[in-house]
């Protein structure tokens, strides 16, 4: 098992994993998500406020995490602090429950510590029980709920 920074040459593997991620999103919230073909945003390789890590098993990319280094909004009542936001994370369906996600999470936490972040944040679909268990196992707790109201 190898965890490393992603490179442009990983694009095909990332697109395959993004397609799996999109299938989950469409299943959990079809009112908000559609299949896009797993297209990778090339900017993720160039922006110094982003990082992508991949997990390899026997030379095959089987998981990834795309993270953003963020600062709190400039609002008087918010502490000025940096955080890491997990934009996307996926482990190939054939390789789940083997600790790969936790190894990727370790890379996220190290990156955050090296860049002065105070915490890691992400979102997970409430129906994604496996995802919720994964995040809890990796030290995450619920701090806020997102609510919405359709306007039609």
């Amino acid at each position: 098992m190898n965890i490393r920074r992603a490179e442009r040459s990983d694009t095909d593997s990332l697109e395959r994993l993004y397609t799996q991620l999109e299938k989950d999103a469409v299943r959990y919230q079809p009112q908000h998500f559609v299949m896009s073909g797993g297209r990778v945003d090339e900017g993720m390789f160039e922006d110094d406020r982003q990082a992508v890590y991949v997990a390899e098993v026997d030379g095959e990319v089987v998981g990834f995490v795309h993270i953003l280094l963020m600062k709190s909004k400039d609002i008087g009542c918010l502490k000025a602090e940096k955080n890491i936001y997990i934009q996307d994370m996926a482990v190939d369906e054939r390789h789940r429950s083997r600790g790969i996600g936790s190894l990727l999470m370790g890379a996220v936490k190290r990156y955050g510590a090296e860049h002065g972040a105070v915490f890691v944040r992400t979102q997970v679909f409430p129906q994604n029980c496996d995802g919720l268990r994964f995040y809890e196992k990796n030290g995450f707790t619920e701090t806020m709920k997102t609510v919405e109201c359709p306007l039609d």
Side-chain angles (χ1 to χ4, degrees):
M1 171 86 59
N2 182 38
I3 305 294
R4 63 171 174 78
R5 287 288 290 260
E7 302 168 353
R8 286 187 185 279
S9 60
D10 296 315
T11 298
D12 288 344
S13 296
L14 291 170
E15 287 178 348
R16 178 180 49 79
L17 291 165
Y18 264 112
T19 298
Q20 289 183 19
L21 189 64
E22 288 176 359
K23 285 179 184 174
D24 284 344
V26 169
R27 180 174 36 135
Y28 290 128
Q29 291 191 357
Q31 72 274 27
H32 293 304
F33 292 92
V34 297
M35 295 300 296
S36 75
R39 283 176 255 140
V40 169
D41 176 7
E42 294 294 320
M44 71 172 62
F45 297 110
E46 299 167 0
D47 187 341
D48 61 356
R49 295 166 295 165
Q50 299 184 55
V52 180
Y53 288 90
V54 295
E56 289 180 312
V57 173
D58 298 327
E60 177 189 3
V61 173
V62 298
F64 81 96
V65 62
H66 174 199
I67 56 178
L68 308 171
L69 179 62
M70 304 179 77
K71 294 180 181 177
S72 58
K73 293 179 182 178
D74 188 16
I75 299 173
C77 66
L78 285 178
K79 291 181 179 181
E81 52 191 9
K82 291 182 185 176
N83 70 82
I84 297 296
Y85 183 76
I86 299 173
Q87 178 67 37
D88 293 303
M89 183 173 187
V91 173
D92 186 281
E93 295 162 341
R94 300 168 294 141
H95 293 273
R96 292 183 185 161
S97 299
R98 296 183 184 175
I100 295 168
S102 293
L103 291 172
L104 286 166
M105 191 60 68
V108 170
K109 291 176 180 179
R110 282 188 298 280
Y111 180 92
E114 291 168 4
H115 288 83
V118 177
F119 61 91
V120 179
R121 173 178 283 156
T122 194
Q123 295 176 310
V124 61
F125 298 113
Q127 310 94 315
N128 185 352
C129 296
D130 291 337
L132 288 164
R133 267 192 305 279
F134 166 78
Y135 286 113
E136 288 171 0
K137 180 178 123 189
N138 281 277
F140 285 69
T141 58
E142 186 177 301
T143 59
M144 192 175 293
K145 287 190 185 249
T146 300
V147 297
E148 64 183 46
C149 174
L151 298 178
D152 51 12

